[in-house]
Amino acid sequence: LRDVATSDDGAGISNDTCRLTRVRATSSGAESGGDGGGLYSSGGVVTVRGLTLDDSAASNGGGVYVSGGTFTADRLKVTNSTASSEGGGLYYGSTGGALPLTGSTFDARSGTVRDVLLNKNTANSGGGLSTEADVTLQDVRFTDNTVTEDGGGAVVRATVTLRDVRCESNDAEQGGGGLFLEGNAALIGV
């Protein structure tokens, strides 16, 4: 997918209630007037393997926006993406479930994503990631993300479990160049 745009959610891929399996894609230049520049999912079951999103833009979740259903990602790479509000690389909204961010398995119900690179993304807050639900971060790299407010690497408003996570060269104009915890957020495994 190259240079696609919509005034709504999900310029590259938009999913509300369907089952999408084994999605392998490279997207460049996807621009959404709503949420989820490269991929938007608010329900259903989505499984991606080897998804690369570059130069995507949206209000929330410049690269990926997830707010419901089950989402599994293996080898997710989001680079040079922009959110005018939160989650330059990835936005995970509160749905009562948990998000797994590990080296490559991202199940919105159990909360783990694996083998993830969130690199050179920008936003108001949460340059690499913004999450409002519990999440496990495993084999995740936040590098060179920037924000005008808080959380250069990530802004977290829930419980986050860290396993082999690297935050390098992220920048926030206000608080938390690497990780910014807000509200009742908690870190486990630090």
Side-chain angles (χ1 to χ4, degrees), residues 34-110:
D35 296 322
L39 188 145
Y40 172 90
S41 183
S42 64
V45 177
V46 178
T47 303
V48 297
R49 303 229 190 290
L51 179 62
T52 299
L53 301 171
D54 183 59
D55 196 29
S56 298
S59 295
N60 292 294
V64 177
Y65 178 96
V66 176
S67 68
T70 300
F71 185 87
T72 303
D74 182 11
R75 296 177 317 276
L76 174 64
K77 181 178 178 183
V78 183
T79 58
N80 301 307
S81 293
T82 302
S84 59
S85 187
E86 297 196 23
L90 171 66
Y91 176 88
Y92 185 68
S94 178
T95 60
L99 168 72
L101 271 177
T102 47
S104 231
T105 305
F106 174 30
D107 179 340
R109 291 186 181 162
S110 63

Side-chain angles (χ1 to χ4, degrees), residues 22-174:
R22 298 187 182 165
V23 176
R24 292 177 191 223
T26 298
S27 175
S28 178
E31 187 170 335
S32 168
D35 296 322
L39 188 145
Y40 172 90
S41 183
S42 64
V45 177
V46 178
T47 303
V48 297
R49 303 229 190 290
L51 179 62
T52 299
L53 301 171
D54 183 59
D55 196 29
S56 298
S59 295
N60 292 294
V64 177
Y65 178 96
V66 176
S67 68
T70 300
F71 185 87
T72 303
D74 182 11
R75 296 177 317 276
L76 174 64
K77 181 178 178 183
V78 183
T79 58
N80 301 307
S81 293
T82 302
S84 59
S85 187
E86 297 196 23
L90 171 66
Y91 176 88
Y92 185 68
S94 178
T95 60
L99 168 72
L101 271 177
T102 47
S104 231
T105 305
F106 174 30
D107 179 340
R109 291 186 181 162
S110 63
T112 304
V113 176
R114 295 189 177 131
D115 194 16
V116 175
L117 173 63
L118 300 167
N119 181 54
K120 295 184 180 177
N121 301 296
T122 60
N124 243 3
S125 63
L129 166 71
S130 177
T131 183
E132 296 177 11
D134 294 346
V135 63
T136 298
L137 302 174
Q138 182 177 331
D139 302 326
V140 178
R141 292 168 289 160
F142 297 96
T143 58
D144 299 310
N145 299 292
T146 60
V147 294
T148 56
E149 293 180 9
D150 301 313
V155 64
V156 177
R157 296 180 183 94
T159 300
V160 63
T161 302
L162 303 174
R163 296 184 184 128
D164 194 21
V165 173
R166 292 186 308 195
C167 287
E168 300 171 351
S169 303
N170 298 291
D171 185 51
E173 289 184 18
Q174 293 180 17

Side-chain angles (χ1 to χ4, degrees), residues 12-30:
I13 299 170
S14 181
N15 181 55
D16 288 326
T17 57
C18 296
R19 175 184 281 283
L20 301 173
T21 58
R22 298 187 182 165
V23 176
R24 292 177 191 223
T26 298
S27 175
S28 178

